[in-house]
Amino acid sequence: NPLTATRHRQIFDKYFSTFKDKKLSELREEDIRESLQRMLSNGIKSKAFNNATSTLNKINDYCVYNHLNCVNIRDKISEFRKCKMVGKNIFARSNKRESELAFNEHEAIIIIRYALEHPDYANLAIAALITTGVRSGELLALTPYDVDIDKGLIYVEKMEQAKSYEIIDHCKDGSERTVFLNSDAKTIFNRILELRLKDASTCGYLFLNPFSEDGKLHLRALDNRLRKIQAILGMTDYIPARSPHDCRRTYASIQYLHGVDIKTIQAQLGHSNAQQTWDYIRDIVDTNTRANKLEQGCIL
């Protein structure tokens, strides 16, 4: 989308102007590492740093999509993901691992069961995120007509923007798609539709919130509810707070651990390339699981 392209171009000009005279094939790991380290040393807010790394990721995606020879930029960025804000513009190393960015299967089951036992729009929306892997903005833009239980799918064609709550007529990176529902997801969406059919609200969207001005459930309320559920279920005692986007990582990792191939997961998530999907899964698979999966590949 043109607005996103313009934003990334402005970020590139601000932080990565030293790359301008280089060919992608000449870009080195040191160039990326030095540019990121320079930003941290000069003082940069967390949001600005995330926007800058997002722009680098776009360059990486472009190279992968067009089969261009370039250093793996995402791997270099991952070295800096362990940095967290400890002051207004001060970063420090964090011991947080990628495995902390998703619920494990046991935690996911507990959350889904809680949602089914306390079926309101916010609880069921969180369960839907875990069982479909769609982006939270895509989920909140659904209408009842986008759900086809008989065919076992939902049509993802729009999304809600996080800041403005505006519904836009396309998804991130042009990932409009059909998302297939497994039996878990069908159970969740059946409950959602039952709830929606009983509701007399004139709001046209699937997920409602009687306390919002437009009668619709929005991302902030969804984020607050997820934190509340974690507290109710006693998860805050041993894991950090999760975000709705971490439910997407949860879906990807659970599907992978149950033998679903990476291309199928990629299509469900709407990723433009498989590397993005691998980034969701890579460090979530623990050592024992990897060892067991590798043992299945023996041929003697």
Side-chain angles (χ1 to χ4, degrees):
N1 127 9
L3 290 176
T4 304
T6 299
R7 178 168 62 87
H8 281 299
R9 193 174 294 113
Q10 292 170 344
I11 292 171
F12 180 86
D13 291 340
K14 183 175 181 179
Y15 296 113
F16 306 112
S17 57
T18 55
F19 294 177
K20 279 189 173 181
D21 296 329
K22 289 182 177 290
K23 294 181 180 180
L24 285 169
S25 58
E26 297 173 350
L27 199 60
R28 302 174 303 159
E29 293 182 1
E30 291 76 10
D31 297 326
I32 300 164
R33 188 182 295 108
E34 287 172 5
S35 65
L36 294 174
Q37 190 62 59
R38 185 167 54 251
M39 280 189 282
L40 297 179
S41 300
N42 291 340
I44 184 172
K45 292 184 178 180
S46 179
K47 183 177 179 180
F49 186 74
N50 289 336
N51 288 339
T53 55
S54 177
T55 296
L56 282 181
N57 280 334
K58 292 299 176 189
I59 298 173
N60 188 94
D61 295 345
Y62 176 84
C63 294
V64 173
Y65 183 78
N66 291 282
H67 306 290
L68 299 177
N69 182 29
C70 180
V71 65
N72 191 324
I73 297 174
R74 285 181 178 273
D75 274 356
K76 294 302 103 189
I77 293 174
S78 68
E79 295 178 12
F80 292 84
R81 284 183 182 161
K82 296 182 177 65
C83 294
K84 66 175 181 178
M85 291 292 288
V86 294
K88 185 177 179 181
N89 290 312
I90 304 170
F91 282 79
R93 301 298 291 181
S94 167
N95 292 325
K96 185 175 180 180
R97 299 173 52 205
E98 291 292 313
S99 57
E100 295 177 352
L101 297 177
F103 295 105
N104 62 36
E105 185 170 340
H106 175 68
E107 293 162 350
I109 291 171
I110 293 174
I111 293 171
I112 293 169
R113 286 177 176 168
Y114 176 84
L116 291 172
E117 291 169 0
H118 304 82
D120 65 12
Y121 288 111
N123 289 346
L124 291 171
I126 290 166
L129 291 176
I130 293 174
T131 55
T132 64
V134 299
R135 299 178 180 93
S136 50
E138 295 170 343
L139 186 78
L140 296 176
L142 292 177
T143 70
Y145 301 104
D146 294 323
V147 183
D148 191 331
I149 292 293
D150 293 335
K151 292 183 179 179
L153 50 84
I154 56 177
Y155 300 100
V156 178
E157 300 173 331
K158 301 179 181 181
M159 71 180 299
E160 177 185 281
Q161 291 187 315
K163 293 181 180 178
S164 65
Y165 296 155
E166 177 188 359
I167 302 296
I168 54 178
D169 292 330
H170 56 81
C171 298
K172 185 178 180 181
D173 299 332
S175 59
E176 295 81 4
R177 63 201 184 281
T178 298
V179 174
F180 293 95
L181 307 177
N182 59 21
S183 58
D184 293 338
K186 286 180 183 178
T187 299
I188 299 300
F189 274 92
N190 269 319
R191 297 298 294 274
I192 294 167
L193 290 174
E194 288 173 7
L195 194 65
R196 189 66 181 83
L197 287 171
K198 296 176 183 177
D199 205 307
S201 172
T202 57
C203 179
Y205 293 96
L206 182 61
F207 293 94
L208 307 181
N209 181 0
F211 301 105
S212 67
E213 292 183 6
D214 57 2
K216 180 183 176 300
L217 184 66
H218 295 294
L219 183 59
R220 183 179 294 276
L222 196 61
D223 186 63
N224 290 338
R225 179 59 62 86
L226 181 56
R227 292 171 187 269
K228 183 177 180 180
I229 289 176
Q230 279 188 248
I232 291 172
L233 298 177
M235 293 182 180
T236 51
D237 297 334
Y238 62 94
I239 59 174
R242 301 275 191 261
S243 71
H245 193 73
D246 294 332
C247 295
R248 186 166 157 83
R249 295 177 184 273
T250 301
Y251 171 83
S253 59
I254 289 175
Q255 296 306 306
Y256 177 73
L257 291 174
H258 280 263
V260 180
D261 66 275
I262 198 71
K263 284 294 184 182
T264 300
I265 301 172
Q266 176 190 343
Q268 287 282 100
L269 297 179
H271 282 158
S272 58
N273 61 70
Q275 181 60 51
Q276 290 178 284
T277 310
W278 280 119
D279 283 348
Y280 276 29
I281 297 169
R282 179 178 53 193
D283 294 324
I284 292 172
V285 182
D286 61 55
T287 304
N288 290 335
T289 302
R290 288 205 306 271
N292 291 336
K293 291 183 77 70
L294 290 170
E295 190 65 27
Q296 297 171 17
C298 292
I299 58 175
L300 295 181

